[in-house]
Amino acid sequence: MVAPVLETSHVFCCPNRVRGVLSWSSGPRGLLAFGTSCSVVLYDPLKRVVVTNLNGHTARVNCIQWICKQDGLHNKCIYWKLSLHKKAVHLQGHEGPIYAIHAVYQRRTSDGALHILIVSAASDSTVRLWSKKDSEGGDLFLASCSQDCLIRIWKLYVKSTSVESQDDDNIRLKENTFTIENESIKIAFAITLETVLAGHENWVNAVHWQPSFYKDGILQQPMRLLSASMDKTMILWAPDEESGVWLEQVRVGEVGGNTLGFYDCQFNEDGSMIIAHAFHGALHLWKQSAVNPREWTPEIVISGHFDGVQDLMWDPEGEFIISVGTDQTTRLFAPWNRKDQSQVTWHEIARPQIHGYDLKCLAMINRFQFVSGADEKVLRVFSAPRNFVENFCAITGQSLNHVLCNQDSDLPEGATVPALGLSNKAIFQGDIASQPSDKEELLTSTGFEYHPVAFQPSVLTEPPTEDHLLQNTLWPEVQKLYGHGYEIFCVACNNSKTLLASACKVGTFTIFKIFYLYPQNIFLYFVSGVHVFLSDPVFSLFAFTNKITSVHSRIIWSCDWSPDNKYFFTGSRDKKVVAWGECDYSDDCIEHNIGPCSSVLDVGGAVTAVSVCPVLNSSQRYVVAVGLECGKICLYTWKKTDQVPEINDWTHCLETSQSQSHTLAIKKLCWKNCSGNTEQNEAEGAEWLHFASCGEDHTVKIHRVNRHAL
């Protein structure tokens, strides 16, 4: 088998914020399927990696069910076949978005043939049944949940046709009966209420039976039910062995934090692991202890943004990624290096910023310092606390002394957010020591005081869980940068890390501000494109294009400089990519001989992201990654020729497959700095190049490409 030249090595995402979008396979592979934006993700909880993406929907995926189907907002179901990862059957019939589905196995009583029965409900106020041959079944137990905080278990069975005595004095449960007629065959069914379960204190959003399994050739169905509620808890229910009364066996959930409970819950194939889908998209995974069956411990699981990802950056050493999104969070992803395993998996290890505005952009100032911009008028600068640096080294396997040698000695331990505030306040060692104990707080508290969630330093050797990410991984905010009168749109930092440039939106105008950055984190000067507030330095317009010299006919959405700073590349909505630089022109309309240095590359779709690799290929050509509005990524190489006009200077190398591509517009592409001396770089050598991508489909991906294929 030929080794692939372009691989998607890591994916970061989370389920959509709707009920029913999560389903855990009861097969031997135990894959977890969930919908993120318009895509379906197959995730392996044991290996902690994404197996593949199934891209076929054109709108948000609302519900998924193994083994039969899933759907989206475009009024159709899609039945997926796992072995091929291809769409097999479209189940069309609903006239509105589909919001709930399930499937059971049944055997025909007439001929014993196996078939799959699928039921779907939609906003068109209809419930439709779909059948497919090849399955089995019997009496059915149906669990339902509601906003009345209760769970009801119903029994559905075929009613006997034999004549029963109507004078029987035995107490019977009330039966609801109905008859189905198909092909002149009438079948009578009965439904009875088995039990009512009360234990949750808020809406119950989901219930899930433990999957059936075969034991000694006989199909077994454990009577265990899992429920998820908006009260931030999951409860595992089971009937008592002696009395048969349904009782609460285990209760797990979240404590504290700014969360709103659970949307969904699932068992794994043998019932030893349970997972919950939270309101903000996060997954919570618990595993049953082998020693004490009533003890469940949190486990590591995939995480990511629950809304569009707007920007991302590699750190200067190429060891982690920071991303921002319209879910108002900044997230940091890094590799988890384990001594006993050769496979390296990437995880979210910090959430430096949880904001009140949609985040739009960020720029790395140095290895552990970044600036972010949101739908507000202020830029905010964040620096990593000591506790993060220590845990980062422990998780990634780096030397703490080597990392701390370039950091200040008075680093804060962590950060917390004050009441009604948006700024992360630094917490130092003295602040932690002065916090009252739980007993002292109980004796002195009046019961009406607000106590913010205090930062608690912790030593981690593995990626943190969602509870820890929410409360203990914030970075202190060290500076605010004022000057803009409208919402921040983009920000960038120069290569020497001494200048910041940012832009905001003012109707059809854009205001640019330039900042000087000093090691003391003090910003001394800023210059406007209209007014110079300080006399030195003075910035002036160097070159520009007009209606005559312009190559693009639509908005330019992205640009990037070549690694040698000789050229810069632009991508536009007009589907064109152009390289610009200093060229020999006799046209007087071109300022300083700055103009297009390449032929116009038509990539076939609107260009939303452009990024130039920091190293050249073996033929000394620039490697350019182009992201399209449709979600596809194309790789090209370019080299200036001596021909006038330029001909055959662009070469198409690779493009992402359907499963590797994003499902919505790509917002940012960023190549990894190849100069970092990380263990991963040493292991892979110079054979592979890495770049990251993010998009409106809520997803961050890390790709690697074989340099010899370029």
Side-chain angles (χ1 to χ4, degrees), residues 530-565:
V530 180
H531 302 286
V532 178
F533 292 93
L534 295 177
S535 59
D536 187 33
V538 176
F539 291 87
S540 60
L541 183 62
F542 183 73
F544 65 95
T545 59
N546 52 34
K547 293 183 179 180
I548 299 176
T549 59
S550 177
V551 178
H552 294 291
S553 59
R554 305 292 296 274
I555 183 174
I556 298 175
W557 268 332
S558 182
C559 61
D560 195 21
W561 284 93
S562 63
D564 54 10
N565 296 323

Side-chain angles (χ1 to χ4, degrees), residues 316-382:
E317 300 293 329
E319 295 172 349
F320 60 85
I321 292 174
I322 294 184
S323 62
V324 297
T326 50
D327 61 357
Q328 303 182 352
T329 63
T330 301
R331 301 174 188 247
L332 190 148
F333 304 96
W336 182 20
N337 291 303
R338 288 157 283 182
K339 296 181 179 179
D340 56 340
Q341 295 187 18
S342 59
Q343 183 181 14
V344 177
T345 57
W346 281 63
H347 303 269
E348 182 182 357
I349 67 169
R351 206 164 292 172
Q353 183 184 13
I354 301 176
H355 205 33
Y357 294 94
D358 292 354
L359 290 159
K360 296 296 185 181
C361 54
L362 86 156
M364 295 295 297
I365 299 174
N366 57 46
R367 189 180 187 188
F368 293 115
Q369 191 174 62
F370 71 92
V371 58
S372 66
D375 276 340
E376 57 175 343
K377 306 173 185 179
V378 182
L379 287 168
R380 300 173 186 267
V381 184
F382 298 87

